[in-house]
Amino acid sequence: MVRAAVLPAVNAPLEIAEIQLPDPGPGQVRVKLAAAGVCHSDLSLSNGTLKQPVPAVLGHEGAGTVTAVGDGVTGLAPGDRVVLNWAPSCGDCHFCGLGEVWLCANSAAAAAKPYATRAGGGELYPGLGTAVFAEETVVAAHAALPLPEGVPLTEAALLGCAVLTGWGAVHHSAQVRTGESVVVFGVGGVGLATLQAARIAGAGRIIAVDVSPAKEELARAAGATDFLVAADDTAKSIRKLTGGIGADVALECVGRADTIRTAWSSTRRGGRTTVVGVGGQDQQVTFSALELFYFGRTLSGCVYGNSDPAKDLPVIAEHVRSGALDLSGLVTERIGLEGIPAAFDAMLAGKGGRALIVF
């Protein structure tokens, strides 16, 4: 029996409860969590913006230690430190065949299968296949990636989503080049990781935009050279900061139609706008046919940073070891399982960076 934060139904309050985990089956491992990040996607799962069978144990950004392995598991053993991958690629589908593992057609399969039971009975589903809002979890072995040496296990939880997403958005999707101007909308956990990644990529002017003026210090510590409080004239202010032409790259880490539209308008002719945030179906963005032609901008979506976690983790770990990437700089609060609802409320209010559950 382990303690977990259970979502009994969509839009229902989380319940801290004892759950029963099975022994790992063939191809599975059991992991004792050291820490788990509270991501906006977990909030989206809880309120139905993203689909997730319930009742469920949410949480998808985590790291811990393998305690047991099932039959047929190779490459992992009890005692190994791992980062959990909430979107493990199958290696067999059309997209995996193209090398676009972040679009794997089967990566979400685990989330649709019960993985544990409540103490009083009743099946539970794993949020995004990982269920890290619990002291321990059971996942497929290929969803547990060995943690490179020299990375603190607790902060390593952030690698599982925020850092891979922000890093990939900069290096894979937007492909930021040395000296380019970059604007990042939204200074939450992913936004802070994106700012750090832009700095590491050698971006010149790095502009952070957020609704909260209290986030300026966080943004500048992550690499922002300028900070703007979101307003009706944000796009105009960004063009002024970039010599009147607009940013080479805009990265939207919020997932709102108005912010996406502003990010687009902030980008120079021929520039790149990357949407990192996850918005709802009700968030509709409009463009005129003439502006699409005239500005010649590229607008792209970004799934999990368009990353291949197995390849990107060692690269990111090297930056952590060198001190270029500060994982602790993303964390503004360390909490227990009971603190998750307050962390959700803080997200809705636009407060803080990443809340980290420490077990």
Side-chain angles (χ1 to χ4, degrees):
M1 303 291 288
V2 300
R3 294 177 71 245
V6 176
L7 177 71
V10 173
N11 276 324
L14 292 177
E15 300 173 356
I16 307 301
E18 296 281 333
I19 68 170
Q20 179 71 51
L21 283 178
D23 293 332
Q28 293 184 321
V29 297
R30 182 163 174 155
V31 177
K32 179 178 176 60
L33 274 302
V38 183
C39 178
H40 202 282
S41 294
D42 299 311
L43 176 60
S44 296
L45 289 166
S46 73
N47 63 27
T49 300
L50 296 176
K51 301 303 180 184
Q52 168 65 52
V54 290
V57 175
L58 301 182
H60 63 282
E61 183 182 81
T65 303
V66 174
T67 59
V69 301
D71 291 342
V73 173
T74 59
L76 288 174
D80 286 349
R81 305 188 317 158
V82 295
V83 175
L84 297 185
N85 176 7
W86 59 268
S89 56
C90 69
D92 295 324
C93 72
H94 175 76
F95 301 102
C96 287
L98 293 174
E100 299 172 355
V101 298
W102 55 91
L103 299 178
C104 175
N106 301 308
S107 63
K113 299 177 182 178
Y115 87 115
T117 56
R118 299 196 67 158
E123 294 180 326
L124 291 167
Y125 293 87
L128 289 182
T130 46
V132 298
F133 286 176
E135 294 169 330
E136 299 185 40
T137 190
V138 174
V139 298
H142 70 297
L145 301 173
L147 176 64
E149 293 296 326
V151 180
L153 182 59
T154 300
E155 285 77 12
L158 303 170
L159 298 175
C161 183
V163 175
L164 273 168
T165 299
W167 174 269
V170 168
H171 290 269
H172 300 315
S173 183
Q175 297 183 11
V176 173
R177 298 184 288 267
T178 300
E180 288 191 311
S181 57
V182 173
V183 55
V184 176
F185 290 82
V187 185
V190 172
L192 288 169
T194 303
L195 286 167
Q196 290 205 44
R199 172 175 49 76
I200 292 170
R205 182 155 240 149
I206 303 175
I207 306 165
V209 181
D210 199 274
V211 296
S212 172
K215 292 190 178 181
E216 180 171 0
E217 184 177 351
L218 280 172
R220 290 188 180 276
T225 58
D226 302 271
F227 181 85
L228 297 173
V229 177
D232 292 340
D233 62 349
T234 294
K236 182 178 179 180
S237 297
I238 291 169
R239 287 195 294 273
K240 184 176 181 180
L241 286 171
T242 53
I245 62 172
D248 294 307
V249 174
L251 297 127
E252 197 274 358
C253 301
V254 181
R256 289 183 54 85
D258 55 350
T259 315
I260 294 169
R261 178 66 230 197
T262 301
W264 167 267
S265 298
S266 303
T267 311
R268 68 167 174 83
R269 291 185 74 186
R272 289 102 67 202
T273 305
T274 296
V275 179
V276 186
V278 181
Q281 293 184 11
D282 61 327
Q283 297 292 310
Q284 300 292 313
V285 188
T286 59
F287 309 92
S288 74
L290 180 60
E291 69 178 309
L292 291 173
F293 159 76
Y294 176 77
F295 288 107
R297 298 167 177 144
T298 299
L299 177 68
S300 63
C302 179
V303 179
Y304 204 3
N306 293 7
S307 291
D308 182 342
K311 294 180 179 178
D312 286 336
L313 271 181
V315 176
I316 294 171
E318 182 57 37
H319 290 293
V320 174
R321 287 191 292 267
S322 73
L325 181 60
D326 177 19
L327 296 178
S328 64
L330 278 62
V331 180
T332 52
E333 189 177 16
R334 295 173 189 262
I335 61 175
L337 288 172
E338 293 81 2
I340 299 173
F344 281 172
D345 290 341
M347 282 182 190
L348 289 171
K351 297 179 180 178
R354 199 54 127 211
L356 188 66
I357 304 164
V358 180
F359 296 97

